[in-house]
Amino acid sequence: MGAVVGTLTMQTKSRRLSRDKADDDLEMTVVCHRPEGLDQMEAQTNFSKRELQVLYRGFKNECPSGVVSEETFKQIYSKFFPHGDASAYAHYLFNAFDTGHTGSIKFEDFVTALSILLRGSVTEKLQWTFNLYDINRDGYINKEEMTDIVRAIYDMMGKYTYPVLKTDAPKQHVDAFFQKMDKNRDGVVTLDEFILSCQEDENIMRSLQLFENVI
């Protein structure tokens, strides 16, 4: 969860500058995509109008067109991991944000996901994370999918981690994941198994609360 939320909010916080009253409305000129109105987004998310304005300014600064392609998303995400290769993990994260499978992320997509990750209930956060791991969207996490995600995370962290990671670290991580979460030992992890196992883990539950007040 930390890898997902932390990097997505660092840049937004850095852009929280004071502006004139005239700038308090969303700046929606000269964009290819016009976001939904503030009232509608406020009703659909856990953010206030002011928070949505701050988020939109950061989003528009990085993406003047109003939409983010996967390539642009990877470029932005890679800035936070200069010593590793974040492209694979960014690909999976992009797909999790692109819920409509349109090949791009609109502001509405971005803020809806961020609302869940920062302000959602425990169940909502875990459902979102499960969907990130469920690469083929079949409702299960299998070992191949989990291995792909774990390898992407290790690649993203780079070779300068301490202590130095062993070559078989991803496999060990995946084996431990399934030992803990595959309750009925059928080789896949369901959403119910995932949520139950996470709720039983104090470290995971604490990590879900780390970014609740980040904005």
Side-chain angles (χ1 to χ4, degrees):
M1 286 294 296
V4 174
V5 180
T7 53
L8 290 173
T9 55
M10 284 168 59
Q11 210 159 32
T12 298
K13 288 182 69 181
S14 70
R15 304 191 190 287
R16 197 179 304 170
L17 306 174
S18 60
R19 305 284 289 266
D20 294 333
K21 180 67 174 67
D23 290 332
D24 282 347
D25 293 329
L26 288 179
E27 302 166 6
M28 298 179 181
T29 58
V30 197
V31 293
C32 297
H33 172 75
R34 184 182 181 89
E36 298 170 355
L38 271 179
D39 290 336
Q40 184 173 350
M41 283 191 285
E42 184 181 26
Q44 293 174 344
T45 68
N46 297 309
F47 295 126
S48 67
K49 288 183 181 180
R50 184 60 183 169
E51 289 170 331
L52 289 167
Q53 289 165 348
V54 172
L55 288 167
Y56 183 73
R57 288 179 189 131
F59 186 89
K60 185 185 174 187
N61 186 79
E62 292 294 341
C63 315
S65 68
V67 295
V68 184
S69 67
E70 181 172 346
E71 188 59 35
T72 299
F73 186 84
K74 287 181 178 179
Q75 292 173 3
I76 295 172
Y77 207 75
S78 66
K79 296 177 183 177
F80 298 101
F81 301 94
H83 299 299
D85 181 0
S87 59
Y89 188 76
H91 167 74
Y92 298 129
L93 193 58
F94 179 89
N95 287 340
F97 274 78
D98 180 20
T99 55
H101 310 295
T102 63
S104 62
I105 299 173
K106 301 185 299 293
F107 178 66
E108 294 92 322
D109 301 323
F110 170 75
V111 80
T112 298
L114 207 60
S115 174
I116 293 172
L117 293 171
L118 297 183
R119 306 278 175 81
S121 67
V122 168
T123 299
E124 288 172 334
K125 293 176 181 179
L126 292 176
Q127 286 175 332
W128 195 95
T129 305
F130 179 90
N131 290 335
L132 170 66
Y133 295 158
D134 179 18
I135 297 173
N136 65 6
R137 301 288 191 269
D138 66 350
Y140 303 93
I141 301 174
N142 58 45
K143 282 195 172 184
E144 182 178 356
E145 289 173 320
M146 195 63 197
T147 299
D148 288 343
I149 292 287
V150 170
R151 282 178 176 165
I153 293 174
Y154 278 65
D155 289 343
M156 178 174 66
M157 301 310 295
K159 61 183 179 180
Y160 298 104
T161 55
Y162 182 84
V164 177
L165 298 172
K166 297 180 180 179
T167 304
D168 62 347
K171 181 180 183 304
Q172 291 179 356
H173 189 115
V174 172
D175 288 344
F177 174 91
F178 272 82
Q179 181 66 31
K180 181 182 183 67
M181 298 199 174
D182 183 12
K183 301 292 187 182
N184 61 1
R185 299 294 182 262
D186 62 351
V188 296
V189 174
T190 65
L191 175 60
D192 289 342
E193 287 176 322
F194 182 79
I195 291 177
L196 177 61
S197 298
C198 288
Q199 290 176 332
E200 293 173 343
D201 191 308
E202 292 183 3
N203 291 328
I204 292 176
M205 295 307 294
R206 277 196 298 269
S207 73
L208 294 178
Q209 302 172 359
L210 287 177
F211 300 96
E212 287 183 353
N213 299 309
V214 76
I215 291 181

